[in-house]
Amino acid sequence: MFSKKNLKLVTDPINKNNPITVQVLGICSALAVTVKLEPAIVMALSVTVVTGLSNFVISLLRNTIPKRIRIIVQLVVIATLVIIVDQFLKAYSFDVSKQLSVFVGLIITNCIVMGRLEAFAMANKPLPSLLDGIGNGLGYGAILVIVAFFRELFGSGTILDIKVIPQAFYEAGYMNNGFFILPPMALIIIGIIIWLQRGKYKELIED
Amino acid sequence: MENLLNIFIKSIFVENMVFAYFLGMCSYLAVSKTVKTSFGLGVAVVFVQVITLPLNFLMEKYLLKPGALVWLSQSFADVDLSFLTFILFIAVIASLVQLVEMVIEKFSPALYASLGIFLPLIAVNCAILGGSLFMSEREYANVAEASVFGLGSGFGWMLAIVAMAAIREKIKYSQVPTPLRGLGIAFVITGLMGIAFMGFMGINL
């Protein structure tokens, strides 16, 4: 099960083939839920579950789905899984579910789920598809958590709602940067992450 | 009439799908490499948006809202199907996108080839589902308002992607740091455009 090839399916999207910074998938929710760290973590886990399981299910069905109606079949599977995740969150972590409200529903339209179904699950066996889904969910989550970390740290001076910037700083004139709470900053942070990543892996550089 | 114009202008500039709500970013970033392709995708989005919004409006009015099934029989007066909103909206959108895909494949194979995976991905373009959800959240009064909102938000999205493509065509000739080229600078530009569009926020006609 954990051959080198399968392990690569999980680790690649976290590194060099990241869904957000390289494949350009799943950006909308990345912006919306990253003001605070906690919702970002829950969102990352939910997306990982949905990508993993939907990849698995579609891969099982891949030979029986007619090409012409594949989008509808895929969306029904995704929507069902998202409803399950939504109900699960409501039952076990109601507060966070309330914070995320709309965005859990918007996982249905998160292009990363659909993108992996089209690009991987429709052409591969169930087990590799499951691993590919989990890997991409984690890669997506990693970016989400990094962005949320910086936005919460500079925007509200907290991490996971715990104050980290000492009161003495505020007394000395330090102020939270309100700009980090606004959506454009999420884009600029992702831009910087891409910059750093491509500085490290030269082969990713576009002409 | 004035009200419709207000909705139209507002949904293009003030409540722009990309810059004010950051919806539909995936295809926006990936397809905005040339003006021609992004114009094609923009037209497809406007088309899908204009058809889905009135359709979803009717779906909501006669099927989903609490007590919406009264037109069938009085005994359905306390049936509430609103938990089916997501799945029904997405079903309508997905079937329409499939239709658009077939039409484009038949009449413009070149456009079909250049849009690639992003054509089926219109179905999961958050701008479309987001539009439907905004429509139901803002409680537009009738089909005309819903259609105008669809037209406006579609145009707003098209405006954003075409503007972005134009900037990216020009930026080829400038000295961007190598690792930032392509996607990286696109993110930064979108952020800056977003800040500019924040100037429209709060304007009321």
Side-chain angles (χ1 to χ4, degrees):
Chain A
M1 170 162 176
F2 288 106
S3 62
K4 217 171 185 182
K5 204 172 130 223
N6 282 348
L7 209 64
K8 211 167 134 52
L9 284 174
V10 180
T11 53
D12 247 19
I14 301 175
N15 251 319
K16 274 195 225 168
N17 197 13
N18 190 286
I20 293 185
T21 60
V22 181
Q23 304 173 47
V24 210
L25 295 171
I27 295 145
C28 329
S29 50
L31 298 162
V33 300
T34 51
V35 178
K36 288 260 153 92
L37 193 53
E38 194 189 0
I41 292 173
V42 175
M43 185 71 182
L45 289 178
S46 316
V47 170
T48 309
V49 170
V50 174
T51 42
L53 289 181
S54 63
N55 254 10
F56 183 69
V57 173
I58 289 296
S59 173
L60 282 176
L61 295 172
R62 69 185 188 283
N63 294 326
T64 56
I65 303 175
K67 191 171 174 283
R68 280 288 170 216
I69 58 156
R70 67 185 190 283
I71 297 176
I72 299 169
V73 177
Q74 290 166 355
L75 279 175
V76 169
V77 171
I78 299 170
T80 316
L81 285 166
V82 169
I83 290 171
I84 295 173
V85 168
D86 188 33
Q87 299 292 333
F88 184 85
L89 283 180
K90 272 187 188 144
Y92 291 102
S93 126
F94 190 67
D95 289 340
V96 181
S97 140
K98 247 174 148 178
Q99 268 180 320
L100 286 173
S101 63
V102 203
F103 299 110
V104 176
L106 280 177
I107 297 179
I108 302 174
T109 55
N110 193 325
C111 355
I112 185 183
V113 187
M114 189 82 163
R116 289 326 290 174
L117 290 182
E118 283 280 309
F120 196 91
M122 289 301 278
N124 284 284
K125 291 209 170 92
L127 186 65
S129 301
L130 176 69
L131 294 173
D132 178 80
I134 292 175
N136 276 285
L138 290 177
Y140 166 88
I143 299 290
L144 221 59
V145 168
I146 295 173
V147 175
F149 176 82
F150 286 111
R151 285 184 79 188
E152 188 173 349
L153 179 64
F154 292 113
S156 336
T158 57
I159 284 172
L160 285 171
D161 281 330
I162 300 163
K163 254 196 152 35
V164 285
I165 295 189
Q167 190 60 38
F169 276 43
Y170 288 103
E171 278 156 17
Y174 174 85
M175 271 162 75
N176 287 328
N177 189 343
F179 192 52
F180 273 79
I181 297 183
L182 299 173
M185 205 55 213
L187 283 168
I188 293 172
I189 295 178
I190 295 180
I192 295 170
I193 295 175
I194 293 174
W195 190 355
L196 293 176
Q197 192 190 23
R198 295 194 179 176
K200 194 172 160 211
Y201 300 108
K202 299 283 183 214
E203 70 270 27
L204 292 177
I205 291 173
E206 294 170 49
D207 300 315
Chain B
M1 202 48 220
E2 208 171 276
N3 186 25
L4 293 184
L5 191 71
N6 189 13
I7 293 178
F8 184 66
I9 300 291
K10 237 179 144 177
S11 53
I12 294 183
F13 294 106
V14 186
E15 288 158 354
N16 187 294
M17 277 289 173
V18 176
F19 297 126
Y21 296 107
F22 296 89
L23 291 176
M25 294 291 297
C26 316
S27 29
Y28 163 82
L29 281 168
V31 180
S32 61
K33 277 179 187 139
T34 60
V35 172
K36 207 173 162 231
T37 326
S38 35
F39 185 73
L41 188 69
V43 171
V45 167
V46 174
F47 181 72
V48 174
Q49 193 81 305
V50 168
I51 301 176
T52 51
L53 273 171
L55 223 87
N56 278 341
F57 180 83
L58 294 177
M59 285 281 182
E60 201 191 17
K61 191 165 183 195
Y62 292 110
L63 217 58
L64 293 170
K65 272 189 184 160
L69 287 170
V70 175
W71 60 275
L72 261 182
S73 135
Q74 272 305 324
S75 54
F76 288 133
D78 50 358
V79 175
D80 177 5
L81 290 179
S82 51
F83 67 94
L84 288 176
T85 307
F86 276 139
I87 204 160
L88 204 69
F89 279 7
I90 204 76
V92 169
I93 293 168
S95 26
L96 266 164
V97 168
Q98 200 93 65
L99 198 75
V100 172
E101 191 186 350
M102 288 181 209
V103 171
I104 294 186
E105 190 182 6
K106 179 122 173 77
F107 291 106
S108 169
L111 182 63
Y112 181 78
S114 63
L115 290 178
I117 191 185
F118 285 95
L119 193 57
L121 281 179
I122 294 185
V124 284
N125 188 328
C126 354
I128 309 268
L129 182 68
S132 288
L133 293 175
F134 276 132
M135 172 206 61
S136 83
E137 189 189 292
R138 290 178 193 161
E139 296 177 340
Y140 285 123
N142 50 44
V143 181
E145 284 189 17
S147 326
V148 167
F149 174 65
L151 192 68
S153 58
F155 265 125
W157 196 85
M158 190 165 98
L159 178 81
I161 193 173
V162 172
M164 184 66 187
I167 294 180
R168 282 177 88 168
E169 278 189 2
K170 288 282 170 204
I171 216 159
K172 271 187 213 146
Y173 306 107
S174 35
Q175 296 283 323
V176 180
T178 354
L180 202 56
R181 274 192 199 151
L183 190 59
I185 196 72
F187 268 105
V188 176
I189 292 171
T190 314
L192 296 177
M193 284 163 92
I195 295 170
F197 262 70
M198 278 169 68
F200 286 113
M201 271 191 173
I203 292 179
N204 238 327
L205 279 186

